[in-house]
Amino acid sequence: MSMDATYLLGIDGGGTGCRARLTDWQGAVLGEGSAGPANLTLGVDVAVDSLMTATREALARAGRPESILAKTHAGLGIAAGNVPRHRAALEAVALPFASASVRSDAEVACLGAHRGDEGGILILGTGSQGVVYREHAFITVGGWGFALSDTGSGAILGRAAVRRAFLAHECVEPTSPLTMAIVDRFFGDREVMLDWSTNARPKDWAEFARTVFEYARQGDTVALKLVRDNALAVERILDRMLSLGTRRIALMGGIAKPTQPYLAQRFAPVLVEPAGDAMDGALVLARQAAHGAAKPA
């Protein structure tokens, strides 16, 4: 197969937005685009609409016609692409590409972080998930949502902080500047806290994580206890990932950097900076498909 006129497309589709990057075979970026949410749990039609909208914007920015999609190999990193029924639903859609390989957004982020080589990532954002890529296969740790999983995440840390502040407000636990600051955000009213917590989503709880880290830097004893406990939860995930055979792990996500100083020194030799982003990983996936190389299991 001649690759001179072949294109590669990398898609990173998550719950808040979808991004596309079009390159030529040599890897030169021709154009990028973006669109709305592409999480497959929202429905395959929603995901397809977003990924195609982002693709068309990338084509427009590249000055290329839509007809080139017939010779474009696509790597699709889509949220919930690791769930077999959701992945199968997307694979059943007649997309206009020469080939389309589907993985989850976290899995392509792992490929991007290590430029297609073996390694792992631990995403610490609103939620949390570890991904290990080894011997052409992905193994995930966590990532099952706020109710069951997401240990070490911003949402879990934020919830712990609000609960601790509530206990301090009821004089069950000692107060601190952190607990008082949190209670003040609810006007010192337990009923307001109750109403808010009843409807709060993971991203709402996660908004308190930044506050916890700010007060921990100031030496607040409650904040320090919260971030250290959260770091211990992160360490348990890292230990599980190491037991799976990976020897380098990139921390990613909104609370990755503030969490790292609280991790045990023994993890320092295996923690690395990501070499690329999720769209880079999706492009690795696209190139593998174009080559007919061994695909991740």
Side-chain angles (χ1 to χ4, degrees):
M1 177 173 56
S2 173
M3 295 300 183
D4 292 339
T6 300
Y7 298 88
L8 300 174
L9 178 71
I11 297 285
D12 172 29
T16 58
C18 181
R19 301 180 299 160
R21 179 177 294 158
L22 180 71
T23 76
D24 62 19
W25 182 254
Q26 288 70 37
V29 176
L30 304 176
E32 296 188 355
S34 61
N39 192 316
L40 285 168
T41 62
L42 301 174
V44 69
D45 293 342
V46 172
V48 170
D49 181 67
S50 291
L51 73 88
M52 289 307 303
T53 298
T55 296
R56 293 186 181 103
E57 183 177 319
L59 287 171
R61 292 183 180 276
R64 300 297 200 278
E66 198 163 332
S67 59
I68 72 161
L69 295 181
K71 49 187 177 181
T72 298
H73 296 272
L76 310 179
I78 308 294
N82 58 316
V83 180
R85 69 178 184 278
H86 292 315
R87 179 178 172 185
L90 181 56
E91 290 174 334
V93 176
L95 296 170
F97 309 121
S99 70
S101 187
V102 181
R103 303 301 310 188
S104 75
D105 54 342
E107 289 166 338
V108 297
C110 187
L111 285 177
H114 303 288
R115 297 292 187 183
D117 292 331
E118 292 188 347
I121 63 168
L122 177 53
I123 301 170
L124 298 173
T126 297
S128 67
Q129 184 176 38
V131 182
V132 172
Y133 180 56
R134 188 165 182 262
E135 297 178 351
H136 302 294
F138 290 105
I139 306 173
T140 59
V141 181
W144 294 97
F146 180 68
L148 295 176
S149 186
D150 285 355
T151 55
S153 70
I156 296 296
L157 175 59
R159 184 181 64 176
V162 175
R163 289 170 62 92
R164 179 62 178 76
F166 187 84
L167 288 171
H169 188 50
E170 290 209 311
C171 301
V172 175
E173 296 283 354
T175 61
S176 80
L178 170 67
T179 67
M180 291 186 287
I182 292 175
V183 170
D184 285 347
R185 289 177 64 172
F186 298 99
F187 312 106
D189 190 322
R190 289 177 295 181
E191 190 170 341
V192 172
M193 296 184 78
L194 172 63
D195 291 343
W196 178 88
S197 65
T198 301
N199 300 301
R201 304 183 67 179
K203 66 180 183 63
D204 300 317
W205 294 105
E207 290 178 2
F208 287 92
R210 180 180 299 179
T211 303
V212 178
F213 283 111
E214 288 175 356
Y215 278 87
R217 285 191 291 270
Q218 297 170 24
D220 183 284
T221 55
V222 173
L224 283 168
K225 177 70 163 56
L226 288 167
V227 297
R228 286 167 178 161
D229 286 349
N230 206 61
L232 288 174
V234 172
E235 290 178 2
R236 288 192 287 272
I237 299 175
L238 290 171
D239 280 330
R240 171 57 180 155
M241 294 174 68
L242 292 173
S243 77
L244 293 170
T246 190
R247 288 298 172 261
R248 55 180 182 172
I249 301 172
L251 297 181
M252 308 174 78
I255 71 165
K257 286 193 179 298
T259 296
Q260 192 165 347
Y262 298 95
L263 299 176
Q265 188 61 30
R266 63 189 176 87
F267 293 104
V270 300
L271 296 179
V272 300
E273 289 295 319
D277 63 15
M279 286 191 290
D280 291 321
L283 288 164
V284 170
L285 196 63
R287 192 177 293 272
Q288 287 177 344
H291 273 308
K295 298 178 184 178

